Amino acid sequence: MWADPAVTRHIGGRPFSEEEVWARVLRYAGLWALLGFGYWVLRERATGRFVGEVGLADFRRNLTPPLGDAPEVGWVLATWAHGRGFATEAVRAALAWSDARQAAARLADPRLGPGRTVCLIDPENVPSIRVAEKCGYREATRATYREQATLVFERLMP
């Protein structure tokens, strides 16, 4: 999936090498080990076919304005799965999981503010903008990340 130019067009703009994909897999495992959240693999229920990835991360991106401590939701799907509703379903499931964890944390410490998540989207990636909006995200600001324009969306926990 990460070597497919149609998939990476809005994520770095070029296919990833095998080495870069392996580093990504290791980073995903590290998220779970260090932060207690990360990415999941998506599979089609009926067939078990690989669909893509969805999850939450803290990548400590060098971005102005900074994202703060809000987890960043992200998703990427294999080309065959585009336009079939998988992304919206997967993001909603990841957010439900995140919302439950954040609600429990706020019960334990009422001083915590409302749960907030963010996502970065290439301004030309209209399908991902639609997924974000369907999942309750609204554009918060525009920024530059790695010399590319990006939209920063945010969502407060309901």
Side-chain angles (χ1 to χ4, degrees), residues 62-80:
N62 185 14
L63 188 73
T64 303
L67 298 175
D69 61 355
E72 179 184 336
V73 69
W75 59 93
V76 60
L77 275 63
T79 304
W80 74 268

Side-chain angles (χ1 to χ4, degrees), residues 19-34 59:
E19 177 182 351
E20 290 167 321
V21 173
W22 180 243
R24 180 176 291 275
V25 168
L26 295 174
R27 180 169 57 175
Y28 287 173
L31 287 168
W32 284 104
L34 296 173
F59 290 134

